[in-house]
Amino acid sequence: WAKADGKARWALFDPERNAHRITRQALSSTLRPAVERGEFALHYQPLVGLGDGVVRGVEALVRWRHPQFGTLAPNRFIGLAEETGAIVPLGRWVLRTACRQARAWQLARPHRPLVVSVNVAVRQVWDSDLVADVAAILAETQLPPRLLQLELTESAVMGSSGRPLQQLRALSEMGVAIAIDDFGTGYSNLAYLSRLPVSTLKLDGSFMRGFRAGEPPNPADETIVEALVQLAHRLGLTVTAECVESAEQAERLGRIGCDTGQGWFYSRPLPPDRIPELMGPP
Ligand code: C2E
Ligand code: MG
Ligand code: MG
Ligand code: MG
């Protein structure tokens, strides 16, 4: 039982686990004040027309410039922010910052409309007045609603009845576009989604695996993506592919009829001052 004893001790004193717990705790308790202190920043990743290569929009992706831990990716803190509810003020900050930025781009290039796409967490739909927040921020920033897209996951809209569905309808009536993020990772009930005021599906990056050079091509992925694109189009939805990493993937997606692509092949997420150069002359 010496071994079991050793194990028990290890479990109690594992320094790495402890550090991890402290970090989680430190991050989780400082999220709200960090929003107030302005420690977050947005990077923007282009969404590109697969047919013509034109930048149609950009997705706003949040980063935490932590005074102690350096720049943190969203997977380090979005889950915590959802658990603690800090996602509501953080999400509001993201929305306001992205809309303000998009309005500045619009004023700089009135003839090159650029849609800004903002991720919205489940809790923002279920526990906060998202419609009032969006309406207030659009009024404050003067961004035309058609230049805003909200990205929700399937879990935020599945089984939506009552309040969440009302919120989606109100946003859509306002002229804001709704996209389903990471499509294909959840229950993926297209028949159901087509009855919601959704305009775009963002195909999850995992579908791109079978399109990747170097890996054994998975013809099933290509067949599934092609069928999904056709079905989505017949239901009046447009399709964006995530995680496009190579020219070959972009070419095959274009052939299949997918509308837009996003990924490292086009660009990494960039700070806002790098976006205008991707859009060509004003
Ligand atoms: P997402 O919305 O699916 O965003 C796409 C993620 O894929 C981004 O990661 C992006 O940097 C990454 N990506 C882009 N192109 C490629 C590629 O070609 N290959 C690969 N392997 N990855 C690529 P990021 O910025 O780390 O964000 C991760 C997730 O965090 C996002 O996934 C989104 O769910 C969440 N997130 C980011 N910003 C926000 C936000 O402001 N609010 C909320 N609620 N969630 C956010
Ligand atoms: Mg997204
Ligand atoms: Mg996504
Ligand atoms: Mg994804």
Side-chain angles (χ1 to χ4, degrees):
W1 48 272
K3 200 178 165 198
D5 187 49
K7 252 194 192 159
R9 262 179 223 226
W10 181 245
L12 270 175
F13 298 113
D14 179 351
E16 223 166 85
R17 275 187 61 170
N18 220 16
H20 181 69
R21 193 171 317 123
I22 289 165
T23 309
R24 269 182 67 91
Q25 226 163 54
L27 292 183
S28 133
S29 60
T30 52
L31 265 163
R32 270 172 201 272
V35 177
E36 278 147 36
R37 285 196 297 265
E39 289 178 9
F40 293 89
L42 296 183
H43 280 191
Y44 296 87
Q45 188 177 36
L47 280 74
V48 180
L50 281 161
D52 55 14
V54 171
V55 177
R56 295 286 159 68
V58 289
E59 178 176 5
L61 294 160
V62 69
R63 277 90 183 87
W64 187 353
R65 288 183 303 206
H66 197 282
Q68 207 180 333
F69 305 123
T71 299
L72 300 177
N75 65 351
R76 298 291 300 280
F77 60 87
I78 290 292
L80 289 174
E82 286 231 39
E83 281 169 35
T84 60
I87 194 69
V88 173
L90 175 59
R92 215 177 269 133
W93 178 87
V94 168
L95 195 58
R96 180 177 292 114
T97 307
C99 289
R100 199 177 280 152
Q101 183 61 67
R103 173 63 172 159
W105 284 325
Q106 190 213 9
L107 290 175
R109 282 157 206 246
H111 305 297
R112 291 291 308 273
L114 189 70
V115 172
V116 73
S117 199
V118 176
N119 293 286
V120 173
V122 178
R123 257 183 106 139
Q124 289 175 270
V125 183
W126 287 82
D127 300 353
S128 80
D129 197 342
L130 183 64
V131 177
D133 286 347
V134 169
I137 288 168
L138 288 175
E140 171 198 322
T141 60
Q142 294 289 293
L143 183 71
R146 67 187 156 80
L147 295 183
L148 175 63
Q149 169 168 281
L150 300 179
E151 299 190 9
L152 288 87
T153 54
E154 291 170 74
S155 49
V157 299
M158 283 329 266
S160 27
S161 54
R163 194 174 150 76
L165 183 56
Q166 277 168 23
Q167 296 214 39
L168 289 192
R169 290 223 173 96
L171 290 165
S172 167
E173 274 158 26
M174 235 183 254
V176 172
I178 311 284
I180 300 298
D181 205 353
D182 304 330
F183 180 79
T185 56
Y187 294 99
S188 306
N189 185 338
L190 255 182
Y192 173 75
L193 286 179
S194 72
R195 273 179 252 125
L196 300 179
V198 165
S199 56
T200 298
L201 297 183
K202 294 191 75 177
L203 291 185
D204 189 67
S206 56
F207 284 112
M208 290 305 105
R209 224 173 285 143
F211 286 63
R212 192 167 295 156
E215 287 199 25
N218 182 353
D221 278 352
E222 190 156 342
T223 306
I224 289 168
V225 170
E226 186 167 14
L228 279 176
V229 169
Q230 284 173 3
L231 193 53
H233 282 169
R234 291 179 67 167
L235 295 170
L237 301 166
T238 62
V239 183
T240 300
E242 299 184 321
C243 291
V244 181
E245 293 179 354
S246 71
E248 190 196 351
Q249 289 174 333
E251 194 270 323
R252 287 161 93 174
L253 286 163
R255 216 181 324 131
I256 281 171
C258 188
D259 304 283
T260 42
Q262 175 182 0
W264 299 341
F265 170 63
Y266 298 106
S267 169
R268 300 255 168 183
L270 298 170
D273 58 310
R274 297 281 316 280
I275 296 301
E277 70 201 56
L278 300 177
M279 296 175 60

